[in-house]
Structures are given as structure tokens and as C-alpha cells.
Amino acid sequence: MTFVGGTAGVMSFPSLREPALDRVSDFNDKVQDVLFDPTTLAQVYEPSDVTSPFPFNAFYPESYAPRIQGSDWRLSVDGLIEKQHDFSISELRAFPQETQVTRLICIEGWSAVGEWSGVPLSSVLNFVGADLSAKFVEFRCADDYRTSIDMKSAFHPQTILALDFLGRSLPVPYGAPCRLRIPTKLGFKNAKSITEIRVTNVYPGGYWEDQGYNWFAGL
Ligand SMILES: Nc1nc2c(c(=O)[nH]1)N[C@H]1C(S)=C(S)[C@@H](COP(=O)(O)O)O[C@H]1N2
Ligand SMILES: [Mo]
């Protein structure tokens, strides 16, 4: 695996955390969890609606995006599962693939429509025998980015491990070779260049979540 660019700690943020607001945010997480309907689909668009050029966002400039050699890359799925497995890209492509034209909404105030294809996260979690009663699914990335979601959202039909953008392998800035695409949540939950998925009951937080962003981050 080749990773060009030193991103660790490029930007440190003053702490946004404030105890009273944390409690409001935890309350919001619980309300959103109760309101979340796993059968309600995010709005879908037409291929002609796809935004061009699609915007890049990360906690560092685009030229630092991790360059991963696809043939070396493996996605490790571990934690509360029956059988640990490292998936190659071709193994992920062997699952039935889904395509979606949906909107990615960034908390920083922009949104864009894209066309992503890949394997439903539910297929991969079922394959490894994930403990479906576990609370969290955590994503760890090649650039040390992290995020996590609830199990209900992980099994939403539009939650996919995207391998393609507009019918071609994901470009480097958009999370090659594999990113989470979850249109029911804000952009920062859409982990790019994933290297590890962990099923856990220990609250994993995430890069932005640890700095005060609301954890559930549902739309
Ligand atoms: N690995 C990684 N994934 C990430 C980020 C990041 O910095 N690193 N940024 C997140 C944020 S805040 C947004 S809005 C989207 C942007 O995705 P895009 O570059 O495809 O537009 O990626 C998310 N996933
Ligand atoms: Mo974002």
C-alpha cells in the first residue's frame, strides 16, 4: 500500500466541546435513532443531475489524498463478527453491485449529486457474520480519518461500499479504492479510502465527532 503525503495532524482544531452542548448532542443522537426509518430512502436523481466537476473535501488539500495501489489494498473487517476477513477489490466486486445517484451534503455548506456504485455494506456485514445487535460500525481510513455509524444505518439499503464513480474506479481524491457512501447521513460520515471496518459496542467517535460534530448526523 502506497500512501503519499503526510496528513497526520496537518490541521488541529481548537476544542469545540462544551459539556452542556454535548448533552444536547447525545439527546439528538437518541431522537434521531428513534426517528430513523430504515425503509425511507434518500432522494435519488437522474444521471444528468450529476455535479461536474464533483467537489473534493477532506481535512487536508486534494494533493495529499492517499494514493493506494489497488492490487495491494485489503479491507479488513473485524471486531464483533464470526469470521475476520480481508477483502480484495475483486472480492468486493464479486458481490451484487448497486448504483445510486444521490446527493452528498457537507456540513460546511455545499452539496453535490454523484453517481456511485458498489456493494451494499449489509452484504459484507452478513458475509462475515457480524453481530447485528452490536451498536457501532467504525471505519478507519488510509489517511487516519475515522468515523462510525449505528447498525441500523449500516443496514440501510442505500448504504454502500462504493468502488466506482460514474461507472469507473473511484478517483484518488474521492476515496480510491473504496469509500462509504451513505446518503442518509452528512458528508463527514462518508469515509474515503477505507482500510478497516470494525463492529463494536465501544463508542468509536470519529475525526469530526471527537471535535463536537453531532454523532448520528442524519439528514
Ligand atoms: N478518509 C477521509 N474520508 C473523508 C474525509 C476525510 O478527510 N478523509 N472527509 C469527509 C467529508 S467532511 C466530506 S464532505 C466528504 C467529501 O467527499 P468528496 O471528496 O467525495 O466530495 O468526505 C468525507 N470522508
Ligand atoms: Mo464535509
Side-chain angles (χ1 to χ4, degrees), residues 36-50:
F36 182 75
D37 178 350
T39 64
T40 302
L41 298 181
Q43 186 174 350
V44 295
Y45 296 82
E46 296 300 322
S48 57
D49 296 327
V50 170

Side-chain angles (χ1 to χ4, degrees), residues 2-80:
T2 335
F3 176 30
V4 179
T7 59
V10 164
M11 291 186 194
S12 62
F13 224 72
S15 178
L16 300 172
R17 303 208 72 95
E18 201 273 305
L21 289 180
D22 276 356
R23 285 198 296 278
V24 173
S25 191
D26 291 348
F27 177 73
N28 281 341
D29 283 345
K30 294 198 180 77
V31 173
Q32 290 181 90
D33 179 65
V34 171
L35 292 180
F36 182 75
D37 178 350
T39 64
T40 302
L41 298 181
Q43 186 174 350
V44 295
Y45 296 82
E46 296 300 322
S48 57
D49 296 327
V50 170
T51 307
S52 182
F54 196 84
F56 163 85
N57 198 35
F59 64 95
Y60 46 77
E62 186 166 336
S63 59
Y64 287 7
R67 285 169 196 281
I68 295 168
Q69 205 68 53
S71 48
D72 298 344
W73 177 88
R74 294 291 180 278
L75 173 65
S76 165
V77 186
D78 52 42
L80 301 172

Side-chain angles (χ1 to χ4, degrees), residues 164-208:
D164 291 328
F165 188 82
L166 283 173
R168 289 161 180 262
S169 300
L170 272 180
V172 162
Y174 307 122
C178 176
R179 70 136 0 130
L180 182 65
R181 181 58 196 127
I182 178 163
T184 53
K185 288 191 188 290
L186 283 167
F188 75 88
K189 291 294 192 185
N190 291 247
K192 301 194 279 189
S193 304
I194 304 170
T195 53
E196 183 182 350
I197 297 178
R198 178 168 293 182
V199 178
T200 178
N201 278 317
V202 181
Y203 174 72
Y207 181 87
W208 289 113

